[in-house]
Amino acid sequence: MTLVYDISVLGMGQYHKTARTGIFRVIESLGEALVRRRAIDRLSAGSDLTSYFRCKDYLRENSVLQTVELIEPSVNRLVREILDRYLSERIPASSTSLGASFRTRIGNRIKRELRAVDALNLPAWDDVGVYHSTFYPVPEPIVNLKHVKKVITVYDLIPIKFPEFCRAGAIDIVKKQMASIEPDTWVTVISESTKVDLCSYHDIDPAHVVVTPLAAAAHFSQCTDADRIELIKKDLKIPEGRYVLSLSTLEPRKNIATTIRCFAKVIEELGQTDVSLVLVGTQGWDFQDVLQEIDNSPRLRERIIVTGFVSDELLSPLYSGASVFLYPSFYEGFGLPPLEAMQCGVPVITSNTSSLPEVVGDAGIMLAPNDEEGICQAMVELLSSDDRRQELSDRSLRQAKKFSWDRTADLTMDVYARAMRE
């Protein structure tokens, strides 16, 4: 069985470092785990030439994935064939020159034909058994190859269930992905919550939808080096003392405005001056409301630190140094940041919605995302009690051990095998 694994998202992340968020980490970590099991035979950059070159550049920096062949597009061959066909059909052999209007017509014809074909090297797909589309819809030429079994990963249906939380582009991608799911397509989903959403929305056999839970990367672990934590705090301009940490893209769905309001109330209730709120993440869609919420609390501006994107090598110490990790998201397909925090031994306060209870279990405090009073009380409880923080820290470490990329890879490989048997 020859298996092709799509890494086009990783190519995007190569040139846009801020795109190295949840889905990027998932595709990278799962891909590496599958390569270590020798389950992947080839990599795909999708059907876009730009994506191909981005993926090539990305692979130069990934010592695991670079051991697998990246399928090359064959645009030069296609252009030559299209041009030869057009010339042989339209231009007499006796012609010795082309006028400007003819050259324009040729150029327009080539552009039309290139839009109608894919840049993939189609002969390379003759022996393929499974194509795994890890984010985007299955490329059209692959859809038409009936001998290839298709596997699609669906992370969530948030753009369909809650379009008010999403950009138009995200909605379009998910709708196209849904449209590409055929009766014989196998779908991996990252939580039971996403499976319920998908089966409710799409007329698909639930037996073809398999839950493959995610995991935090192995490099997320407790950092006990106090000097390193303090150095990172200094670099990120985090004030001395304790801090509440939140990590997510700054956008409405992540409920950052509630996080800020609750922090402001907690500071007033505690009457302490050594607690800060650290917001880590890139500025996402409609983030102005987040910044406005900070402006609404001028007395706390110096205590609310917006770091922007933070690289992976800094995150474990940043997680580990936090007194509390706060994540009151409205809806999640899985929720990697709480799991990363738990793997670093940090007490977690998060929402009781969607997939988050599957991830957190009994290791954290879960509340309705709009329960501001409850969130405030939970923060006060954890900031005021070393014993309570230690209890939840211990539970977090135990809960995090239930998730691993080895398990995710095993479950994914089982889907490949089931698809081939069908």
Side-chain angles (χ1 to χ4, degrees):
M1 174 181 66
T2 300
L3 187 133
V4 178
Y5 186 81
D6 177 21
I7 62 164
S8 49
V9 168
L10 304 185
M12 176 68 72
Q14 179 66 19
Y15 284 88
H16 302 281
K17 301 298 184 183
T18 55
R20 296 192 173 199
T21 53
I23 291 176
F24 178 98
R25 292 183 188 177
V26 171
I27 294 170
E28 182 178 66
S29 298
L30 177 58
E32 290 173 350
L34 291 169
V35 167
R36 292 188 180 100
R37 284 163 170 70
R38 300 185 178 180
I40 297 175
D41 301 289
R42 296 176 190 151
L43 303 174
S44 169
S47 59
D48 182 81
L49 186 61
T50 300
S51 177
Y52 169 75
F53 287 113
R54 286 174 172 173
C55 288
K56 276 185 69 75
D57 287 343
Y58 164 81
L59 290 173
R60 292 189 181 98
E61 300 178 7
N62 188 307
S63 60
V64 177
L65 290 178
Q66 69 182 220
T67 62
V68 180
E69 173 193 3
L70 178 65
I71 295 175
E72 295 186 8
S74 54
V75 170
N76 288 337
R77 175 181 62 81
L78 289 171
V79 170
R80 186 174 63 253
E81 290 178 357
I82 292 167
L83 182 58
D84 288 345
R85 184 166 71 248
Y86 183 82
L87 292 177
S88 65
E89 292 175 354
R90 301 293 184 180
I91 302 174
S94 59
S95 296
T96 58
S97 62
L98 297 173
S101 63
F102 238 47
R103 287 197 299 272
T104 299
R105 289 173 59 190
I106 288 175
N108 290 339
R109 173 67 179 272
I110 289 173
K111 290 177 183 177
R112 286 198 302 273
E113 294 216 33
L114 282 176
R115 283 196 295 267
V117 298
D118 199 275
L120 292 171
N121 183 10
L122 295 181
W125 301 93
D126 290 348
D127 63 343
V128 171
V130 175
Y131 182 91
H132 185 172
S133 178
T134 55
F135 179 68
Y136 295 108
V138 176
E140 186 173 336
I142 310 308
V143 171
N144 296 329
L145 296 177
K146 299 305 180 184
H147 70 280
V148 178
K149 303 293 185 180
K150 290 85 175 178
V151 176
I152 297 177
T153 297
V154 174
Y155 299 89
D156 60 67
L157 270 72
I158 293 169
I160 292 173
K161 288 177 66 71
F162 305 102
E164 67 273 19
F165 287 151
C166 303
R167 296 177 186 267
I171 298 171
D172 186 55
I173 288 175
V174 172
K175 287 185 175 180
K176 288 180 178 178
Q177 187 186 53
M178 293 297 104
S180 72
I181 297 175
E182 299 182 332
D184 60 346
T185 303
W186 285 78
V187 181
T188 61
V189 292
I190 59 178
S191 65
E192 290 288 350
S193 174
T194 297
K195 179 173 181 175
V196 170
D197 288 344
L198 175 61
C199 292
S200 299
Y201 175 82
H202 199 289
D203 183 18
I204 185 173
D205 181 358
H208 272 218
V209 182
V210 181
V211 178
T212 57
L214 306 183
H219 62 258
F220 288 107
S221 60
Q222 274 188 304
C223 176
T224 58
D225 186 342
D227 291 339
R228 176 160 170 71
I229 293 173
E230 288 302 317
L231 180 62
I232 290 172
K233 287 176 62 179
K234 183 177 180 180
D235 287 344
L236 295 176
K237 297 181 173 53
I238 299 172
E240 292 289 328
R242 301 175 296 166
Y243 61 93
V244 174
L245 178 66
S246 181
L247 187 151
S248 68
T249 302
L250 304 185
E251 60 186 19
R253 177 171 60 88
K254 301 299 184 176
N255 204 15
I256 305 297
T258 292
T259 294
I260 294 170
R261 286 195 299 272
C262 289
F263 175 74
K265 292 178 183 177
V266 164
I267 293 305
E268 292 175 355
E269 182 172 340
L270 286 177
Q272 298 184 26
T273 60
D274 69 334
V275 181
S276 300
L277 173 64
V278 179
L279 301 175
V280 177
T282 58
Q283 293 181 350
W285 174 71
D286 199 21
F287 64 89
Q288 292 83 0
D289 287 350
V290 173
L291 301 181
Q292 185 61 51
E293 199 65 42
I294 295 174
D295 288 340
N296 289 343
S297 305
R299 67 192 181 284
L300 296 174
R301 284 175 187 165
E302 294 182 358
R303 307 267 296 282
I304 300 177
I305 316 314
V306 182
T307 68
F309 174 77
V310 174
S311 61
D312 271 9
E313 59 265 25
L314 303 182
L315 285 180
S316 284
L318 192 59
Y319 274 127
S320 300
S323 297
V324 179
F325 182 75
L326 182 57
Y327 196 80
S329 175
F330 285 114
Y331 210 88
E332 293 291 325
F334 183 81
L336 265 180
L339 182 56
E340 292 169 352
M342 290 192 299
Q343 196 161 291
C344 294
V346 183
V348 170
I349 301 171
T350 191
S351 303
N352 60 3
T353 64
S354 57
S355 62
L356 290 165
E358 298 176 48
V359 177
V360 176
D362 66 352
I365 299 174
M366 288 181 290
L367 301 153
N370 56 359
D371 182 3
E372 294 190 12
E373 181 179 351
I375 293 171
C376 290
Q377 291 175 352
M379 276 200 285
V380 169
E381 176 186 356
L382 291 177
L383 290 169
S384 304
S385 172
D386 292 340
D387 290 342
R388 181 61 169 150
R389 284 201 309 276
Q390 187 61 53
E391 176 193 352
L392 290 188
S393 175
D394 293 341
R395 287 188 185 181
S396 292
L397 291 170
R398 287 195 298 270
Q399 177 71 5
K401 289 179 180 178
K402 297 177 181 179
F403 301 86
S404 74
W405 284 114
D406 287 336
R407 177 171 177 251
T408 307
D410 288 342
L411 292 169
T412 303
M413 290 172 63
D414 184 60
V415 174
Y416 299 156
R418 291 168 65 182
M420 288 301 296
R421 287 196 301 265
E422 196 173 71

